[in-house]
Amino acid sequence: MEIWIVEDEVSAAGRLKRMLLEVLPGAEIRTGLDTVRRTVKALREEGQPDVLFLDIHLGDGEVFELFEQVEVSCPVVFATAYDDYAIRAFEVNGLDYLLKPVEKSDLQRVVKKLERLSSPPLDARLLADFLQQFRQQAPVRRRFVIKRGEELKYVDVREVAYFFSEDGYIFLVLRKGERHLIESSLDALEDELSPAEFFRINRKVLLRVEAIDRIHRWFNSRLKISLKPPVLSETIVSRERVRDFKYWLERG
């Protein structure tokens, strides 16, 4: 079986490849397709693999743009960090999905289904309906505009470590330690960003798991978090959010 993994995060592509080889030892697996443009070029020049595993957000846009540029007839498995709304959309439309981070049991489920398929054409109308539904429901915020002196620059959401509120203003902190003022609110950001990637630990901080340096038990059943980069040195997980926070750490 020839499998192409379309994924712009090298570590995620490598992990999925290793897991696929455990489930399908004889599979021929291709990685390195990290943009819509490269994937379209490969499909046009080399034909279709037996299966495509597609991340949704790639280096040059959404993978859905792929289907607007080339006809795909092989089975497709989407990988998504979104949970509730995306899963409902996939299941309703009969498409396969893997929820990130991918678990081996989920991969085995998808592979078994693929092995049962004899001739699995991709229904173009079904796919078009799904793409419209997904785009209407999925979070839309993928980048932020920041100001540097007299210049405006955009940053991808994947560069953001956390957001925090201070004196009525909202700041984003990049992984490399820069702090920037943005025009938004934490409530709006919580609605716009993937709940698998970001968690609101209290009224003032919204973070991703990679921003957590250390977690300590704190007074009154709360947790204290040391952040990285340490623009905010530490913050507290409010008592009413501790249970959900622990669940998010394990399942997010």
Side-chain angles (χ1 to χ4, degrees), residues 178-211:
E178 295 179 6
R179 158 179 160 163
H180 297 279
L181 177 68
I182 60 172
E183 295 182 5
S184 189
S185 69
L186 290 183
D187 287 343
L189 291 170
E190 195 173 10
D191 289 338
E192 294 172 352
L193 297 169
S194 165
E197 295 179 21
F198 288 90
F199 187 86
R200 181 88 172 266
I201 61 171
N202 56 41
R203 289 185 297 117
K204 294 189 174 183
V205 178
L206 177 69
L207 54 71
R208 65 165 70 245
V209 69
E210 291 85 357

Side-chain angles (χ1 to χ4, degrees), residues 133-165:
Q133 181 181 358
F134 186 91
R135 281 169 166 161
Q136 288 174 347
Q137 297 183 39
V140 296
R141 183 62 74 97
R142 301 306 305 173
R143 56 186 64 89
F144 294 86
V145 175
I146 59 175
K147 186 176 181 181
R148 284 179 174 168
E150 297 302 316
E151 295 184 353
L152 294 178
K153 182 180 179 180
Y154 76 87
V155 295
D156 192 281
V157 69
R158 289 172 292 188
E159 298 178 47
V160 178
Y162 54 92
F163 304 86
F164 70 94
S165 171

